[in-house]
Amino acid sequence: QVQLVDSGGGLVQAGPSLRLSCTASVRTFSIPHCGWFRHAPAQAREYVATISVSGGNTDYADSAKGRFTISRDNAKNTVYLQMSSLKHEGTAVYYCAATQRSYYSGSYVHTWHYNYWGQGTQVTVSS
């Protein structure tokens, strides 16, 4: 069992950086393959980025490429999403997700790929 806690969201202006964190609430369980999704008003939950268990492989949605960086610190059971060049359309609830499914399945862009979800952290980007 993996329980995830998202944090780091808040109200920011467009442009500056913001780092989100996702930490396994039960430290006896190491965080598995993880991803980040976001859910904006009137939109479906959208894939943002993913990272393999080792951290050696990452992938980003087109909207995140070049601006967002996903990383992990397995010693801290934490996955990060560093967001830069924030835009107002980035306003959403961001969710950390985890799964035992393989990164190499190629299905990590889908919500059903993940078994565990954080509670979400609100990111509001003002114009």
Side-chain angles (χ1 to χ4, degrees):
Q1 295 182 3
V2 178
Q3 294 180 323
L4 307 176
V5 178
D6 302 336
S7 63
L11 175 63
V12 298
Q13 293 182 315
S17 297
L18 185 68
R19 188 176 75 168
L20 306 182
S21 298
C22 172
T23 301
S25 59
V26 181
R27 290 180 177 267
T28 54
F29 299 104
S30 60
I31 193 166
H33 170 212
C34 293
W36 285 94
F37 286 74
R38 64 186 180 188
H39 190 190
Q43 297 183 20
R45 189 166 296 191
E46 178 187 27
Y47 167 72
V48 176
T50 194
I51 190 167
S52 62
V53 172
S54 67
N57 291 284
T58 59
D59 183 74
Y60 300 91
D62 288 342
S63 61
K65 290 179 180 178
R67 301 189 301 113
F68 292 3
T69 301
I70 187 170
S71 62
R72 64 187 298 155
D73 185 341
N74 287 344
K76 297 180 179 179
N77 285 345
T78 300
V79 174
Y80 303 98
L81 183 67
Q82 180 71 44
M83 304 185 294
S84 61
S85 300
L86 287 166
K87 304 173 182 178
H88 74 273
E89 55 264 37
T91 296
V93 178
Y94 285 72
Y95 295 90
C96 175
T99 181
Q100 289 79 29
R101 291 185 172 90
S102 173
Y103 173 93
Y104 302 98
S105 71
S107 61
Y108 48 74
V109 301
H110 303 291
T111 58
W112 54 259
H113 179 78
Y114 303 91
N115 306 104
Y116 311 101
W117 293 85
Q119 83 287 352
T121 183
Q122 175 71 50
V123 174
T124 303
V125 184
S126 64
S127 300

